[in-house]
Amino acid sequence: ALERGRKAILCDLSPAAAFIAYNMCTPVDYRSYLDAVYEILREASALERDLYTTRCRTCGQDTLMLYMVWSYGVLCPSCGKEFVLWDVARAEGPTVRESKIRSEFACPYCGVQLRKRGLTRTQRYPVQVGYKCCSGRLQEATAPPDAHDLALLHDISGPPQGLWYPTDPFPDGVNTRQAIAAGITSVDKAYTPRALAAMAFLWDAALRWPEERLRLKLLFTITSLYQRVTLFSEFRFWGGSGNMANYNVPAIINEQNVFQVFLRKARTISWYFKHAPHVHRELRVSTQ
């Protein structure tokens, strides 16, 4: 409607829908937007190193972690022993597209054939890190977590002191029961401590941005990340993560570097701002 010179009035019951609609309909100068994004990432660079530093297994130098894979341990219903699903169900092929997590496999202890669906889960274990360093290849290198990676996890307690983050409890309902059963009983528990620290930092930096139009766009970018950087993000061998429109907790989780996801998302949004038609936009958005 706006692109055809009409006045537009939008309303929705969802505050999130109204926020998304307003920001989609009010593009800003893409260069100013990216300048703000890069400034926040410069401000976050020390925290990113503290949260996401790993070591290249080839040259031994520190480098940024792009992601960490977590796998649930499960119990064999036949022998009662615990094993890590990643170790048993992973089937890596010649290419990433031929790699998969098997839905059926044998218990590594008693040999009984099992189905992944329905197995009792125990706890999450870190099983793989991804990074880029000295190889020069487009595809990242992967390795099991080493002592440095495990020590880093131990040292991260959550957001820096004084930063706000949401602690709203999840209400009981059809879509929240699996999350609650997995111990994710409130919004903050949907994140690893590392991801929660990164998101709280980004939120605070965006809220402090002096220009309102850009401030809203920065918050718009951060809210678009939530499912990709929570425990609801399922690991995919070919990159990225699977995202579902519910609170399903995958058995194998992809914990991505929040700051790198923020940068990728911002670049995508900037393309929209760059190419959106330059027209007069008379718009009213409300939540009702």
Side-chain angles (χ1 to χ4, degrees), residues 253-269:
I253 298 160
N254 186 16
E255 182 201 9
Q256 298 191 62
N257 180 324
V258 169
F259 299 108
Q260 296 303 308
V261 179
F262 175 67
L263 176 59
R264 289 198 302 272
K265 180 65 76 170
R267 285 173 172 163
T268 301
I269 291 172

Side-chain angles (χ1 to χ4, degrees), residues 66-110:
L66 300 178
Y67 63 87
M68 175 176 277
V69 182
W70 294 77
S71 172
Y72 270 97
V74 294
L75 297 175
C76 173
S78 178
C79 66
K81 291 187 177 180
E82 182 197 30
F83 59 90
V84 178
L85 191 64
W86 174 262
D87 296 337
V88 176
R90 184 171 85 259
E92 297 192 40
T95 67
V96 291
R97 287 289 175 179
E98 296 173 89
S99 303
K100 62 180 181 178
I101 302 298
R102 290 189 292 256
S103 59
E104 296 186 13
F105 42 81
C107 170
Y109 296 104
C110 67

Side-chain angles (χ1 to χ4, degrees), residues 34-91:
L34 284 177
D35 286 345
V37 167
Y38 293 141
E39 177 58 33
I40 285 178
L41 288 173
R42 280 191 292 271
E43 187 181 340
S45 59
L47 179 61
E48 184 177 20
R49 288 192 298 271
D50 289 344
L51 295 177
Y52 295 105
T53 294
T54 188
R55 288 188 179 138
C56 176
R57 283 19 174 206
T58 302
C59 69
Q61 297 296 311
D62 285 351
T63 188
L64 280 178
M65 183 186 301
L66 300 178
Y67 63 87
M68 175 176 277
V69 182
W70 294 77
S71 172
Y72 270 97
V74 294
L75 297 175
C76 173
S78 178
C79 66
K81 291 187 177 180
E82 182 197 30
F83 59 90
V84 178
L85 191 64
W86 174 262
D87 296 337
V88 176
R90 184 171 85 259

Side-chain angles (χ1 to χ4, degrees), residues 20 24 30 33-34 37-38 41 199 202 217-229 241 243 256-273:
I20 291 167
M24 290 290 287
Y30 78 97
Y33 166 72
L34 284 177
V37 167
Y38 293 141
L41 288 173
M199 288 291 280
L202 289 175
K217 296 301 179 282
L218 293 168
L219 295 171
F220 172 60
T221 309
I222 295 166
T223 57
S224 73
L225 307 183
Y226 87 95
Q227 197 154 23
R228 292 187 178 277
V229 298
S241 56
N243 297 290
Q256 298 191 62
N257 180 324
V258 169
F259 299 108
Q260 296 303 308
V261 179
F262 175 67
L263 176 59
R264 289 198 302 272
K265 180 65 76 170
R267 285 173 172 163
T268 301
I269 291 172
S270 76
W271 298 337
Y272 168 68
F273 291 160

